[in-house]
Amino acid sequence: MSWSASEIAALATKAARGAGAPAGQAARFGEAAAFCLMTGGAPAALEAALAAVPAGGPVLDLPAALDGIIARQGGELRSDAPAILIRAYVAVLPFAADATETGHGRWKIMVDLTRPSPRPTPRRISGCDGLIACMSELAARTFVPESEASRAAGAGAGLNDND
Amino acid sequence: MRDFPDIPQVPLRPPGKVMRLSRMGSMFPTRLSFLRTLIRRLSDEQARLTRPVWNICAQGFGHAVYSIDLGGHRYSLVAVSNDLPADARTDRVIATAWDTAYVLYDGVPDTAEIARICDAAPKQEAARFTERDLVLSRANKSVRLFGHVVDRLRSGKQPDEALVRNTGYLMRTTAVYGNGKFGIADRALYDERPGLDGPFMAEMLTVWMIRHFTHDLVEHIGGARLDRHLRRHLGIGNSTGLGMAPFLVNHPVLLNNWVMARETALARARAVTAPDTAVRDRLCDLARRAGRHLAEWQVPDAEHQGRIDRLQRDWQGRMAQILNLSQTADAPGEALVALCESGSEDLQELMAALVIEPFGDLVDGLSDCMSDPFGAMVVPFSGTAALRTAIDREFGWALGVDYAGRENCGQFWYVSAAKQEPRLGLRFEEQGAQKESPLDIARRISALRGDLETKDEPVSAFLGRHPEHALAALRVALGGRYPYAEIQDNLIAETCLPIDMLRCKLSFFGASKFDPKSDRWTRITLCQGAPLADELGPGADDWWLPVFAG
């Protein structure tokens, strides 16, 4: 089975929220996860990142660190996150940006605020069934079972619409 | 947004006026609505709709394929019609079977692909799709009208015109899925193609093609043609619930771009002085048409019908002035808007939509600015002092509210386990608030403001201590560049009516004849009065607030 990038981004966002990440960081993880999987995989890195939530890890740390660098129009990032994850977070920034590893968990991040980030062409995603299962389980933590109350309140149409 | 410096315009209406729920819930379609844009594009290209496959039995079951060329690409609608027991016919998104199912396909499907789609499409969310499938949809018959039309055609007669006028469609779609759902193509795969580059263009093309299938199907079963004016009036219904509402909150840049384009169009139309006689006559014609449309807009819900009736009285009560100002005012657009300023928001928004209509040459290009190709191009705040100042300057509407008070947090948004659809619960009566979806933007910004201390420090340091405020900090940053990005109301208040969000979004689609069934879902009509496939061409896009031509 193959997945669309949008499906993966949505699922990864919900999974991060289910793992305990705040909404803003979860959305950033969703975008980065889709990019990761479109460009070579790293399901293990994504699963590990989710496992570190809510105590810490790249899902919580990378967005604020990168935003600070954008605000300074570039700078150094210190992170022990996997390289593929850092590159993905940088690639999905709204501005054109580039990440160069300088060693020992240090990265040089260059940002061009005058240019939008080039849009990646979506590719089908497959071969990550374990990660999908993990993310689906985490995402399910954000779902609320439907109740009689919600149905009575008119969440949808009637049960029969033969008109 | 693109710049159009040469076109005069008056100041835009401020976001604090436009982006209120009650006004959003009063919006009408305009010539910038997506269906209108699509029809103009199809007309410009003289697009030809063909039906290479018609494998439908005498009872109306089977499949058909329609194809059309747009922007150098060929797209095909695969339509599948099944025999649905009456007790399985429901408009709810949790339904599992439908009268008809559809896929908009990229290209022309071969026999194997048609077979795949015929197997998968009727299962909808329970099936998986491919990147050749651009849009997935389904529709149920309006049993009363569909059966009546079949019976009449079989007996050699045309259907009752009043029934056609009052129902307005043969089938209702209950979902039109795009952008990667259930494995269909990501929107980014085709959103730079001419014709599909605007928002929801693939979905609008699908809906317009489905409409033709419903006409062909009823004529096939009935064994005779419908009169053209009846086909023209038969659009495609849609039943829309809460699933659509969070989209506006989750896509703030897109919402900004839609509203910015519409408000810019209005500002340009208001700035026009000394228009020629043709424009003045057009304003008069449109005003009369709007009056007729309101008279034909009949809904079962007494409260909403009362609202329509009030609007109709307000409109007709001003008709003499509208006609006079249209013919005599130096700046008729400005004068007409001013005339309605003291009236209801329904009246104001109807007039706003009318005033835009005659000025296609000034405003139609704005449709190119309604997508969001780049995402949120904002630089995050570096320091908390600047963040605090921005909140105080632009988000006063979110502050000063006691969000712990029952009336201000009585509802919560969540995603249902059943079909993973957005829902709205009652916080103090239902379980699940701990899993609340982050649509409480006003409360979040207020909480962020409350935790910002007077000292200035890097935002990254502040978010390190308060990671829960990252979303709110982003929304504040957006506010500086995208003034119409936020709905300036408390979306978890007891008074929040999701129907207002639905109407806003649907008006941008081009929907008319809103028929609310509760404050959480509505039926609408799409494509009513729109040109049929053989009517595309110059001047075809004249169907704002359609009226029955019987």
Side-chain angles (χ1 to χ4, degrees):
Chain A
M1 179 187 296
S2 70
W3 302 73
S4 70
S6 305
E7 280 182 294
I8 293 296
L11 177 61
T13 299
K14 289 174 186 163
R17 281 190 54 228
Q25 291 85 338
R28 297 278 284 271
F29 176 74
E31 291 178 54
F35 186 88
C36 259
L37 294 172
M38 281 195 307
T39 55
L46 296 171
E47 204 165 333
L50 286 169
V53 178
V59 176
L60 301 186
D61 297 342
L62 281 178
L66 288 170
D67 283 355
I69 291 171
I70 294 174
R72 299 193 301 276
Q73 299 189 42
E76 184 182 74
L77 171 72
R78 296 186 183 190
S79 173
D80 56 4
I84 190 168
L85 203 53
I86 290 175
R87 292 188 196 284
Y89 267 88
V90 170
V92 299
L93 291 174
F95 301 103
D98 188 52
T100 306
E101 193 167 10
T102 56
H104 306 292
R106 295 182 178 215
W107 294 75
K108 183 180 179 185
I109 309 294
M110 291 188 293
V111 182
D112 182 352
L113 298 182
T114 65
R115 287 192 302 129
S117 177
R119 295 194 326 160
T121 301
R123 295 184 200 147
R124 303 299 284 188
I125 293 167
S126 59
C128 52
D129 293 352
L131 174 66
I132 297 289
C134 166
M135 293 199 296
S136 298
E137 191 177 323
L138 289 169
R141 296 181 188 174
T142 67
F143 303 151
V144 176
E146 204 158 23
S147 65
E148 285 304 318
S150 68
R151 278 190 285 272
L159 293 177
N160 193 289
D161 295 287
N162 288 290
D163 62 347
Chain B
M1 295 289 293
R2 289 185 188 173
D3 252 352
F4 294 92
D6 298 326
I7 301 177
Q9 63 183 57
V10 303
L12 301 180
R13 297 193 297 180
K17 177 175 185 173
V18 176
M19 300 307 293
R20 299 302 304 270
L21 272 179
S22 62
R23 186 173 295 275
M24 295 169 76
S26 300
M27 288 181 175
F28 283 86
T30 72
R31 63 180 302 122
L32 292 179
S33 295
F34 308 144
L35 271 168
R36 299 285 304 278
T37 302
L38 173 72
I39 293 297
R40 286 196 293 274
R41 178 87 199 196
L42 292 170
S43 291
D44 288 348
E45 295 195 12
Q46 299 274 302
R48 233 181 106 244
L49 183 69
T50 60
R51 198 181 74 185
V53 177
W54 183 260
N55 188 4
I56 301 282
C57 75
Q59 289 74 41
F61 309 122
H63 69 269
V65 178
Y66 293 75
S67 293
I68 195 164
D69 290 338
L70 177 63
H73 294 262
R74 182 161 292 178
Y75 305 101
S76 298
L77 179 80
V78 181
V80 186
S81 173
N82 284 322
D83 187 4
L84 181 70
D87 60 2
R89 185 174 291 111
T90 170
D91 281 6
R92 293 204 65 180
V93 75
I94 60 168
T96 54
W98 301 267
D99 285 312
T100 57
Y102 308 89
V103 162
L104 183 70
Y105 186 83
D106 189 6
V108 179
D110 60 19
T111 305
E113 283 287 80
I114 292 173
R116 174 183 65 78
I117 292 169
C118 287
D119 178 59
K123 300 171 187 165
Q124 297 279 298
E125 298 96 331
R128 294 293 300 172
F129 297 86
T130 78
E131 63 267 48
R132 296 296 297 270
D133 307 323
L134 306 183
V135 176
L136 172 66
S137 184
R138 69 287 189 106
N140 282 336
K141 290 170 186 162
S142 170
V143 176
R144 194 165 51 119
L145 183 59
F146 199 96
H148 167 81
V149 174
V150 167
D151 290 344
R152 282 294 186 97
L153 292 178
R154 279 178 173 165
S155 62
K157 299 174 186 168
Q158 290 294 306
D160 178 71
E161 296 210 340
L163 195 56
V164 170
R165 185 185 65 226
N166 294 337
T167 305
Y169 52 77
L170 292 164
M171 289 195 194
R172 278 189 302 273
T173 57
T174 64
V176 184
Y177 292 117
N179 195 22
K181 285 280 189 79
F182 315 111
I184 63 176
D186 284 300
R187 181 179 144 71
L189 279 171
Y190 56 81
D191 68 355
E192 292 182 346
R193 295 184 188 178
L196 294 190
D197 45 354
F200 290 96
M201 278 300 127
E203 290 87 342
M204 296 300 107
L205 178 62
T206 303
V207 162
W208 183 76
M209 292 170 81
I210 290 174
R211 175 200 188 206
H212 286 84
F213 174 70
T214 68
H215 296 171
D216 288 356
L217 186 66
V218 82
E219 290 179 344
H220 174 79
I221 304 170
R225 297 300 307 272
L226 275 166
D227 285 350
R228 177 173 290 275
H229 74 286
L230 298 179
R231 275 186 282 138
R232 180 85 184 230
H233 195 75
L234 286 168
I236 184 80
N238 175 268
S239 194
T240 295
L242 284 174
M244 184 173 271
F247 182 93
L248 296 179
V249 184
N250 293 329
H251 296 81
V253 177
L254 203 54
L255 176 61
N256 172 81
N257 294 353
W258 296 359
V259 178
M260 179 69 86
R262 198 197 59 164
E263 291 302 310
T264 302
L266 177 60
R268 290 178 181 179
R270 290 168 62 190
V272 172
T273 55
D276 61 25
T277 304
V279 167
R280 293 185 184 280
D281 290 346
R282 179 95 173 118
L283 285 167
C284 293
D285 290 345
L286 291 167
R288 294 188 192 97
R289 185 197 296 179
R292 282 186 60 198
H293 179 88
L294 294 175
E296 291 180 9
W297 184 6
Q298 301 287 320
V299 299
D301 180 72
E303 187 178 335
H304 196 72
Q305 186 59 52
R307 187 174 150 188
I308 297 167
D309 292 343
R310 279 192 299 279
L311 175 57
Q312 191 188 3
R313 284 195 300 274
D314 289 348
W315 191 256
Q316 294 300 347
R318 285 170 171 79
M319 184 60 81
Q321 292 168 281
I322 292 172
L323 299 179
N324 182 49
L325 288 170
S326 296
Q327 291 294 350
T328 63
D330 178 51
E334 183 71 1
L336 291 170
V337 168
L339 173 69
C340 295
E341 197 60 23
S342 62
S344 66
E345 288 175 313
D346 283 342
L347 184 71
Q348 293 174 37
E349 292 308 305
L350 176 58
M351 184 54 84
L354 181 146
V355 164
I356 292 170
E357 187 64 24
F359 299 106
D361 53 338
L362 299 181
V363 307
D364 286 352
L366 291 164
S367 64
D368 292 342
C369 309
M370 296 176 86
S371 59
D372 171 25
F374 303 123
M377 298 285 291
V378 292
V379 178
F381 290 99
S382 58
T384 53
L387 177 59
R388 192 170 55 242
T389 300
I391 294 174
D392 293 345
R393 188 179 59 234
E394 292 164 18
F395 289 84
W397 57 269
L399 307 179
V401 177
D402 173 17
Y403 288 100
R406 187 184 181 100
E407 70 277 17
N408 295 322
C409 71
Q411 302 189 88
F412 71 100
W413 295 86
Y414 65 90
V415 175
S416 71
K419 265 208 173 178
Q420 300 179 25
E421 280 287 320
R423 292 281 179 266
L424 190 57
L426 300 174
R427 188 180 305 276
F428 301 103
E429 296 172 26
E430 296 176 44
Q431 300 293 313
Q434 75 279 9
K435 300 179 178 181
E436 182 167 6
S437 300
L439 273 68
D440 52 339
I441 302 300
R443 181 171 66 172
R444 285 171 177 270
I445 289 172
S446 178
L448 165 62
R449 180 65 181 84
D451 282 339
L452 286 171
E453 299 166 14
T454 52
K455 68 174 182 181
D456 191 16
E457 64 174 326
V459 171
S460 55
F462 171 78
L463 291 179
R465 296 196 308 280
H466 293 286
E468 73 277 13
H469 291 318
L471 177 59
L474 170 64
R475 304 299 283 232
V476 176
L478 289 176
R481 178 161 181 163
Y482 306 102
Y484 297 105
E486 294 294 350
I487 299 170
Q488 298 195 7
D489 265 303
N490 176 11
L491 302 184
I492 57 171
E494 284 184 336
T495 52
C496 171
L497 301 177
I499 192 78
D500 292 332
M501 299 158 77
L502 302 184
R503 177 152 167 180
C504 170
K505 188 179 177 192
L506 291 165
S507 74
F508 277 103
F509 283 11
S512 59
K513 302 278 179 71
F514 294 91
D515 177 11
K517 298 300 177 188
S518 78
D519 60 19
R520 297 172 184 219
W521 72 283
T522 184
R523 285 180 182 162
I524 54 163
T525 307
L526 295 164
C527 297
Q528 187 174 71
L532 302 164
D534 61 359
E535 295 172 333
L536 296 170
D541 182 43
D542 180 17
W543 52 290
W544 178 72
L545 297 192
V547 293
F548 187 68

PDB file of all heavy atoms in Angstrom, chain A residues 14 21 28 42 48 51 115 137 141 159 161:
ATOM      1  N   LYS A  14      -1.161  14.215  13.944  1.00  0.00           N
ATOM      2  CA  LYS A  14      -2.030  13.643  14.999  1.00  0.00           C
ATOM      3  C   LYS A  14      -1.217  12.749  15.930  1.00  0.00           C
ATOM      4  O   LYS A  14      -1.448  12.732  17.148  1.00  0.00           O
ATOM      5  CB  LYS A  14      -3.167  12.844  14.364  1.00  0.00           C
ATOM      6  CG  LYS A  14      -4.205  13.710  13.668  1.00  0.00           C
ATOM      7  CD  LYS A  14      -5.214  12.841  12.928  1.00  0.00           C
ATOM      8  CE  LYS A  14      -6.165  13.685  12.106  1.00  0.00           C
ATOM      9  NZ  LYS A  14      -6.875  12.899  11.097  1.00  0.00           N
ATOM     10  N   ALA A  21       2.817  16.073  22.218  1.00  0.00           N
ATOM     11  CA  ALA A  21       3.399  17.326  21.737  1.00  0.00           C
ATOM     12  C   ALA A  21       2.324  18.395  21.624  1.00  0.00           C
ATOM     13  O   ALA A  21       1.188  18.092  21.248  1.00  0.00           O
ATOM     14  CB  ALA A  21       4.061  17.111  20.379  1.00  0.00           C
ATOM     15  N   ARG A  28       4.468  20.947  12.837  1.00  0.00           N
ATOM     16  CA  ARG A  28       5.791  21.018  12.209  1.00  0.00           C
ATOM     17  C   ARG A  28       6.352  19.610  12.003  1.00  0.00           C
ATOM     18  O   ARG A  28       6.979  19.311  10.985  1.00  0.00           O
ATOM     19  CB  ARG A  28       6.748  21.836  13.087  1.00  0.00           C
ATOM     20  CG  ARG A  28       6.343  23.294  13.282  1.00  0.00           C
ATOM     21  CD  ARG A  28       6.755  24.174  12.127  1.00  0.00           C
ATOM     22  NE  ARG A  28       8.164  24.494  12.116  1.00  0.00           N
ATOM     23  CZ  ARG A  28       8.713  25.538  12.732  1.00  0.00           C
ATOM     24  NH1 ARG A  28       7.952  26.368  13.446  1.00  0.00           N
ATOM     25  NH2 ARG A  28      10.006  25.784  12.633  1.00  0.00           N
ATOM     26  N   ALA A  42      13.837   6.975   6.732  1.00  0.00           N
ATOM     27  CA  ALA A  42      14.079   7.348   8.127  1.00  0.00           C
ATOM     28  C   ALA A  42      12.892   7.074   9.036  1.00  0.00           C
ATOM     29  O   ALA A  42      12.638   7.840   9.967  1.00  0.00           O
ATOM     30  CB  ALA A  42      14.495   8.803   8.252  1.00  0.00           C
ATOM     31  N   ALA A  48      11.576   7.192  16.701  1.00  0.00           N
ATOM     32  CA  ALA A  48      12.341   7.566  17.898  1.00  0.00           C
ATOM     33  C   ALA A  48      11.984   8.971  18.356  1.00  0.00           C
ATOM     34  O   ALA A  48      11.880   9.247  19.567  1.00  0.00           O
ATOM     35  CB  ALA A  48      13.837   7.466  17.599  1.00  0.00           C
ATOM     36  N   ALA A  51       8.858   8.798  20.168  1.00  0.00           N
ATOM     37  CA  ALA A  51       9.008   8.116  21.457  1.00  0.00           C
ATOM     38  C   ALA A  51       9.571   9.056  22.532  1.00  0.00           C
ATOM     39  O   ALA A  51       9.343   8.851  23.720  1.00  0.00           O
ATOM     40  CB  ALA A  51       9.911   6.894  21.289  1.00  0.00           C
ATOM     41  N   ARG A 115      13.241  34.690  -0.476  1.00  0.00           N
ATOM     42  CA  ARG A 115      12.784  33.644  -1.404  1.00  0.00           C
ATOM     43  C   ARG A 115      11.989  32.580  -0.672  1.00  0.00           C
ATOM     44  O   ARG A 115      12.403  32.140   0.418  1.00  0.00           O
ATOM     45  CB  ARG A 115      13.979  32.971  -2.088  1.00  0.00           C
ATOM     46  CG  ARG A 115      14.668  33.823  -3.145  1.00  0.00           C
ATOM     47  CD  ARG A 115      15.635  32.975  -3.959  1.00  0.00           C
ATOM     48  NE  ARG A 115      16.648  32.342  -3.125  1.00  0.00           N
ATOM     49  CZ  ARG A 115      16.934  31.049  -3.171  1.00  0.00           C
ATOM     50  NH1 ARG A 115      16.264  30.234  -3.975  1.00  0.00           N
ATOM     51  NH2 ARG A 115      17.878  30.555  -2.398  1.00  0.00           N
ATOM     52  N   GLU A 137      -1.530   4.359  16.084  1.00  0.00           N
ATOM     53  CA  GLU A 137      -1.845   4.094  17.490  1.00  0.00           C
ATOM     54  C   GLU A 137      -1.765   5.376  18.317  1.00  0.00           C
ATOM     55  O   GLU A 137      -2.642   5.651  19.143  1.00  0.00           O
ATOM     56  CB  GLU A 137      -0.873   3.054  18.040  1.00  0.00           C
ATOM     57  CG  GLU A 137      -1.253   2.516  19.399  1.00  0.00           C
ATOM     58  CD  GLU A 137      -0.266   1.436  19.846  1.00  0.00           C
ATOM     59  OE1 GLU A 137       0.202   0.660  19.005  1.00  0.00           O
ATOM     60  OE2 GLU A 137       0.032   1.399  21.050  1.00  0.00           O
ATOM     61  N   ARG A 141      -5.087   8.268  20.080  1.00  0.00           N
ATOM     62  CA  ARG A 141      -5.241   8.858  21.409  1.00  0.00           C
ATOM     63  C   ARG A 141      -5.929  10.221  21.362  1.00  0.00           C
ATOM     64  O   ARG A 141      -6.388  10.712  22.387  1.00  0.00           O
ATOM     65  CB  ARG A 141      -3.868   9.032  22.064  1.00  0.00           C
ATOM     66  CG  ARG A 141      -3.135   7.743  22.341  1.00  0.00           C
ATOM     67  CD  ARG A 141      -1.809   8.048  23.020  1.00  0.00           C
ATOM     68  NE  ARG A 141      -0.972   6.873  23.141  1.00  0.00           N
ATOM     69  CZ  ARG A 141       0.276   6.905  23.600  1.00  0.00           C
ATOM     70  NH1 ARG A 141       0.812   8.050  23.986  1.00  0.00           N
ATOM     71  NH2 ARG A 141       0.983   5.795  23.679  1.00  0.00           N
ATOM     72  N   LEU A 159     -30.487  10.194  10.098  1.00  0.00           N
ATOM     73  CA  LEU A 159     -30.048   8.837   9.811  1.00  0.00           C
ATOM     74  C   LEU A 159     -30.626   8.321   8.500  1.00  0.00           C
ATOM     75  O   LEU A 159     -30.153   7.358   7.945  1.00  0.00           O
ATOM     76  CB  LEU A 159     -30.426   7.916  10.972  1.00  0.00           C
ATOM     77  CG  LEU A 159     -29.670   8.212  12.272  1.00  0.00           C
ATOM     78  CD1 LEU A 159     -30.165   7.305  13.382  1.00  0.00           C
ATOM     79  CD2 LEU A 159     -28.171   8.062  12.090  1.00  0.00           C
ATOM     80  N   ASP A 161     -32.311   9.871   4.780  1.00  0.00           N
ATOM     81  CA  ASP A 161     -32.549  11.085   4.003  1.00  0.00           C
ATOM     82  C   ASP A 161     -33.232  10.783   2.681  1.00  0.00           C
ATOM     83  O   ASP A 161     -32.729  11.119   1.625  1.00  0.00           O
ATOM     84  CB  ASP A 161     -31.237  11.823   3.783  1.00  0.00           C
ATOM     85  CG  ASP A 161     -30.662  12.329   5.083  1.00  0.00           C
ATOM     86  OD1 ASP A 161     -31.219  13.301   5.615  1.00  0.00           O
ATOM     87  OD2 ASP A 161     -29.710  11.716   5.576  1.00  0.00           O
TER      88      ASP A 161
END
